[in-house]
Amino acid sequence: MPPKKATDQLQTTCATCALTQFCLPMGLTERELKDLEALVKHRRIFSRGEILHQPGDFFQNFYAIRAGAVKSVTINTAGNEQVFGFYLPGEVIGFEAISTQKYPHSIIALTETSICELPFTHLMQMSKTHSGLQHQLLALASQRLTIDTCIHFTDTQQRVIAFLLNVSARLNRSAGLKRIFDLPMSRHDIGNHLGLAMETISRIIHHLKRQGLLAVHHRSIELLKIPALKALATGNK
Amino acid sequence: MPPKKATDQLQTTCATCALTQFCLPMGLTERELKDLEALVKHRRIFSRGEILHQPGDFFQNFYAIRAGAVKSVTINTAGNEQVFGFYLPGEVIGFEAISTQKYPHSIIALTETSICELPFTHLMQMSKTHSGLQHQLLALASQRLTIDTCIHFTDTQQRVIAFLLNVSARLNRSAGLKRIFDLPMSRHDIGNHLGLAMETISRIIHHLKRQGLLAVHHRSIELLKIPALKALATGNK
DNA sequence: TAAAAACATTGATCTAGATCAAGTTAAGCT
DNA sequence: AGCTTAACTTGATCTAGATCAATGTTTTTA
């Protein structure tokens, strides 16, 4: 069940949302789910380029991505952007802000993006009585710690393939990799995030295409030989 | 109050530990602290090179670093090590394992290292009634998400300086940077972690030394011009 | 619907940093 | 203490990927 378009999502409840088994509701009892639902403050749509929050903004809400995608960035003093990561449907923004009470990054919508806003203090209050929620909050923070292993690969091609497989898996949370998908972010953003030039991303993807490992048309990707791609990503050249 | 040597730490309790205000006990009431103390299963010493756990091991315990340091690594199919990060005194290992119930990495002691073992299920049980602990668990997971920003810098020198400042700050959690400290990890590990060759680390450190920004003798570092180093790290060349 | 802007590809050149290699220093071991 | 081994430094060379540049494509906006 793929997430619907951003604009279709405004009336959905947690119980009827396609992402209910991956997002915050996961593992919650029916009762807990109903209470969580009551706690959702806003459902909002951001259009491409809009900023959800800036670094230093006081941390008040989690944002659960319902449809679309955002990037997490900072701008350094020299004016250069630094892409820290991406958030895809079902993923929750805010964990990195808990300890300092301030968001550390800018969150910018990459496409039309629909989100659910959840007040943190209410969530914490609720999780005192709802132990399923308490566990799920930690589990989501945990997931976030291991979600993005691509940056750690030394080999450039490995990094790019691992990134593509990572996005594919995250877009298809239920079962394995999504074979056909659209990258929500630009080559520039991918490059920045992986510490590579945009042109290098382009060339590596082209190379994989020529080898018949995937089909590409701009941001649309089809993984053709998943086992081979996996093998390359884990370092078996 | 610097952390004592690993071997001095076996008898210490949470209440008397120098790290009490940074580690899990932070923000806990006296009552909560006493209950937490009762929950600590083991205090153990690992010597250099010893493995705390392997990837895939069933997640049962958090490990709080009391003295020393460890690295978090994986070995890929080609036999290459990949350094994911480091844990320094007061830091807690285990958050990345909550969602899958398995540790994703090997944890290897870099020096003589003393740790406190805390059973996860007991912690969760306890945090149902101790809301300070519940918050502190999330806060520590949160901290972990933002602790290691060095890898995201594009410029090589920036990455290395940011790394040194990062270690310095983490070794001196209370107040700002530690001016004089020993790196617990090898140049090789630093390089691997930052995606650079060991020789490059050596050369960049040598370069900073020649500029008079720091004093180095093997793993011992003294930060001589902190503002200048900070400026370089944030991209003002 | 056309024009503009943003994004992506492809090629040519150049340089930062990897790799290779040798020598030095420090740490662990018997 | 002296031997062995691991870690670090320094230099020379080479290459992967950055940078520069031009063109093509798609999306956005007027």
Side-chain angles (χ1 to χ4, degrees):
Chain A
M1 221 186 306
K4 293 172 193 161
K5 281 200 174 169
T7 39
D8 298 342
Q9 299 273 355
L10 281 182
Q11 281 81 23
T12 324
T13 64
C14 284
T16 61
C17 177
L19 295 165
T20 194
Q21 40 185 332
F22 312 112
C23 185
L24 265 170
M26 188 192 129
L28 265 53
T29 63
E30 224 168 289
R31 175 64 202 279
E32 288 178 322
L33 192 61
K34 210 181 150 197
D35 291 350
L36 178 69
E37 175 64 32
L39 186 147
V40 175
K41 210 168 66 179
H42 285 118
R43 298 211 156 79
R44 282 212 274 164
I45 307 272
F46 291 89
S47 41
R48 198 176 118 78
E50 273 193 273
I51 296 171
L52 280 71
H53 60 247
Q54 297 273 24
D57 285 358
F58 184 63
F59 167 55
Q60 284 183 287
N61 300 303
F62 280 124
Y63 301 94
I65 306 279
R66 185 168 268 246
V70 303
K71 62 177 172 180
S72 159
V73 304
T74 57
I75 317 270
N76 71 11
T77 44
N80 301 315
E81 204 179 76
Q82 182 51 250
V83 176
F84 277 79
F86 304 99
Y87 289 85
L88 304 180
E91 296 175 7
V92 178
I93 302 160
F95 291 104
E96 50 301 283
I98 295 173
S99 71
T100 61
Q101 303 271 69
K102 298 193 171 175
Y103 297 108
H105 308 126
S106 292
I107 300 289
I108 302 175
L110 292 168
T111 61
E112 181 105 323
T113 296
S114 143
I115 59 99
C116 300
E117 216 172 304
L118 300 127
F120 176 63
T121 50
H122 295 189
L123 266 181
M124 285 304 279
Q125 204 57 43
M126 183 176 156
S127 77
K128 281 183 192 170
T129 49
H130 298 61
S131 76
L133 180 60
Q134 183 195 310
H135 185 275
Q136 178 61 358
L137 282 171
L138 271 175
L140 284 174
S142 170
Q143 231 173 69
R144 202 68 214 165
L145 280 165
T146 50
I147 207 165
D148 196 7
T149 56
C150 338
I151 22 166
H152 295 284
F153 287 88
T154 29
D155 182 70
T156 304
Q157 176 172 281
Q158 269 183 42
R159 267 220 290 293
V160 177
I161 299 175
F163 178 80
L164 294 174
L165 296 178
N166 181 253
V167 172
S168 161
R170 287 161 65 187
L171 288 173
N172 198 38
R173 307 180 72 100
S174 41
L177 296 166
K178 196 165 188 189
R179 279 184 62 84
I180 301 176
F181 62 97
D182 284 328
L183 290 168
M185 69 293 283
S186 68
R187 301 283 192 269
H188 186 270
D189 285 337
I190 298 173
N192 185 310
H193 181 236
L194 301 181
L196 300 168
M198 179 200 5
E199 293 92 333
T200 305
I201 306 298
S202 221
R203 279 186 247 266
I204 290 176
I205 289 179
H206 176 78
H207 180 76
L208 297 170
K209 187 180 175 179
R210 280 208 323 163
Q211 288 184 291
L213 299 176
L214 43 78
V216 199
H217 187 66
H218 290 258
R219 295 196 184 178
S220 118
I221 304 279
E222 180 177 1
L223 306 176
L224 295 175
K225 298 188 180 172
I226 291 178
L229 288 166
K230 277 185 180 168
L232 283 170
T234 51
N236 305 304
K237 287 199 179 171
Chain B
M1 223 187 303
K4 292 171 195 162
K5 280 202 174 170
T7 38
D8 298 340
Q9 300 272 351
L10 281 182
Q11 281 80 23
T12 323
T13 65
C14 284
T16 60
C17 177
L19 295 164
T20 193
Q21 38 184 334
F22 312 111
C23 186
L24 265 170
M26 187 192 129
L28 265 53
T29 63
E30 223 166 289
R31 175 64 201 281
E32 287 178 323
L33 192 61
K34 209 180 152 199
D35 290 351
L36 178 69
E37 175 64 31
L39 187 145
V40 175
K41 211 169 64 179
H42 285 119
R43 299 212 155 80
R44 280 211 274 163
I45 307 272
F46 291 89
S47 43
R48 196 176 118 80
E50 273 193 273
I51 296 171
L52 279 70
H53 60 246
Q54 297 274 22
D57 284 359
F58 184 63
F59 167 55
Q60 285 183 288
N61 299 304
F62 280 124
Y63 301 94
I65 306 280
R66 184 168 267 248
V70 303
K71 61 177 173 181
S72 158
V73 304
T74 57
I75 316 270
N76 72 11
T77 44
N80 302 315
E81 203 179 77
Q82 182 51 249
V83 176
F84 278 79
F86 304 98
Y87 290 84
L88 304 180
E91 296 175 7
V92 178
I93 302 161
F95 291 104
E96 50 302 283
I98 295 173
S99 71
T100 61
Q101 303 273 69
K102 297 191 173 175
Y103 297 107
H105 308 126
S106 292
I107 301 289
I108 302 174
L110 292 168
T111 60
E112 182 104 323
T113 297
S114 142
I115 59 100
C116 299
E117 215 171 307
L118 300 126
F120 175 63
T121 50
H122 295 190
L123 266 180
M124 285 304 278
Q125 204 57 43
M126 182 176 156
S127 76
K128 281 183 191 171
T129 49
H130 298 59
S131 75
L133 179 61
Q134 183 195 309
H135 186 276
Q136 178 61 359
L137 282 171
L138 271 175
L140 284 174
S142 171
Q143 230 174 67
R144 204 67 214 166
L145 281 165
T146 51
I147 207 165
D148 196 7
T149 58
C150 339
I151 23 167
H152 294 284
F153 287 88
T154 30
D155 182 71
T156 304
Q157 177 172 282
Q158 267 182 44
R159 267 221 288 294
V160 177
I161 299 175
F163 179 81
L164 294 175
L165 295 179
N166 181 254
V167 172
S168 161
R170 286 160 65 187
L171 288 174
N172 198 37
R173 307 180 72 99
S174 42
L177 296 165
K178 197 167 186 188
R179 281 184 59 87
I180 300 176
F181 61 98
D182 284 329
L183 290 168
M185 70 292 284
S186 69
R187 302 282 191 270
H188 187 270
D189 285 336
I190 298 173
N192 186 310
H193 182 236
L194 301 181
L196 300 168
M198 180 206 353
E199 294 91 334
T200 304
I201 307 298
S202 217
R203 280 187 247 266
I204 289 176
I205 290 179
H206 175 77
H207 181 76
L208 297 170
K209 188 180 175 181
R210 279 208 324 162
Q211 287 183 293
L213 299 175
L214 43 78
V216 199
H217 186 66
H218 290 261
R219 296 196 183 178
S220 117
I221 303 278
E222 180 176 2
L223 307 176
L224 295 174
K225 297 188 181 172
I226 291 178
L229 287 166
K230 277 185 180 170
L232 282 170
T234 52
N236 305 304
K237 286 196 183 173

